[in-house]
Amino acid sequence: MDCSSSKETPPHKAWWTGETVAVVTGANRGIGHALAARLAEQGLSVVLTARDEARGEAAAAELRARGLPSVRFRCLDVTDPASVAAFASWIRDHVGGLDILVNNAGVSFNEIDTNSVEHAETVLKTNFYGAKMLIEALLPLFRRSSGTSRILNLSSQLGLLNKVRDPSLRSMLLDEGRLTEQQVEAMASRFLAQVKDGTWQDHGWPAVWTDYAVSKLALNAYSRLLAARLRGAVAVNCFCPGFTRTDMTRGWGKRTAEEAGRVAAGLALLPPADLPTGKFFKWSTPQLYSKL
């Protein structure tokens, strides 16, 4: 599966039109900005969101100046219920619905070689709870056209089950028949409680960038459950861009944000006949071992 073809040679016949609406969160810079640009280049109507109004508007204006008039900006803080509700109302009243949601907004406060959990609550509130809250708010607004409605959650292989060292937790997450969204939320809450009482290192959580990894572990599990719940109506997948040069990695990485954005756009625009659901893509390859 090649999801990284150039603008001049689309990887497949376009199923979308200029009326197809894609929402990309956290898109004022980095992978989100590159992804929004790529979708606009392909002719979609793109809603670029950011928490900071000035930076977000400047990012959208820069894309419009590049000859991409279909890009609009709307302020959105995924951690704020009022902001999420206002955004959903705006999509309903001024856009008329959406077809694609890319949850790109995310944070991490660690350096490459550190593992502090000082900001764990903010990390989970943004990367997991915020993404979940936005999805649930926007679900009624998806046009639900068979094979075209889709959600792509930016994730990380740091949140794969092979990073979990607690056998009971791994077993719970692997139990596809019994796992519930409530259990996933309880897992995230348990981690935050252990951070507060200082015992988090004793419970087998992922060892690298632990708060970020747990946020993506929860996002991956929720995405799998959501994919099952919405099967046949909205496809739900996760995408790990790998070690990419962004502000989050302090400029370190093997790939550029533009390269990651191009691959993410390819996944977001897969033809309906080729569109899976409930998958974890590491770059452009679905990972069978991940048990998303």
Side-chain angles (χ1 to χ4, degrees), residues 138-158:
L138 292 182
L139 273 182
L141 305 178
F142 273 88
R143 294 190 171 115
R144 305 278 180 124
S145 176
S146 178
T148 61
S149 295
R150 56 207 51 200
I151 296 169
L152 186 65
N153 292 323
L154 269 285
S155 191
S156 170
Q157 60 186 334
L158 293 178

Side-chain angles (χ1 to χ4, degrees), residues 8-211:
E8 291 72 28
T9 55
H12 39 70
K13 183 178 179 180
W15 55 265
W16 58 90
T17 71
E19 300 300 312
T20 303
V21 175
V23 173
V24 184
T25 68
N28 61 300
R29 59 185 179 181
I31 295 172
H33 189 254
L35 171 55
R38 178 67 174 168
L39 294 175
E41 287 169 356
Q42 294 298 319
L44 287 82
S45 176
V46 176
V47 178
L48 177 159
T49 83
R51 288 179 299 173
D52 187 291
E53 188 164 2
R55 292 177 180 174
E57 189 56 74
E62 186 267 328
L63 294 182
R64 291 193 294 267
R66 283 165 47 183
L68 302 172
S70 66
V71 178
R72 286 175 281 183
F73 167 70
R74 192 69 180 175
C75 194
L76 171 65
D77 180 352
V78 299
T79 69
D80 180 358
S83 179
V84 169
F87 180 77
S89 295
W90 179 80
I91 289 289
R92 181 194 64 216
D93 297 339
H94 297 278
V95 182
L98 75 159
D99 305 281
I100 300 171
L101 171 62
V102 182
N103 276 306
N104 170 76
V107 297
S108 175
F109 295 89
N110 276 298
E111 301 292 335
I112 295 299
D113 57 351
T114 64
N115 191 31
S116 169
V117 294
E118 179 183 355
H119 302 285
E121 187 169 355
T122 299
V123 171
L124 267 77
K125 194 174 181 182
T126 304
N127 299 357
F128 168 55
Y129 291 110
K132 183 177 186 296
M133 179 164 56
L134 180 64
I135 287 170
E136 299 295 343
L138 292 182
L139 273 182
L141 305 178
F142 273 88
R143 294 190 171 115
R144 305 278 180 124
S145 176
S146 178
T148 61
S149 295
R150 56 207 51 200
I151 296 169
L152 186 65
N153 292 323
L154 269 285
S155 191
S156 170
Q157 60 186 334
L158 293 178
L160 293 182
L161 290 183
N162 59 8
K163 305 297 190 294
V164 177
R165 295 169 295 154
D166 177 355
S168 63
L169 176 57
R170 191 185 305 116
S171 177
M172 181 192 81
L173 293 171
L174 280 169
D175 192 342
E176 298 183 16
R178 296 184 179 180
L179 183 66
T180 66
E181 293 178 21
Q182 291 75 19
Q183 286 179 303
V184 175
E185 290 205 3
M187 174 191 75
S189 296
R190 186 164 64 251
F191 170 69
L192 290 176
Q194 291 165 2
V195 167
K196 287 183 179 179
D197 66 22
T199 64
W200 63 274
Q201 291 175 305
D202 304 326
H203 294 279
W205 300 106
V208 177
W209 276 20
T210 301
D211 55 1

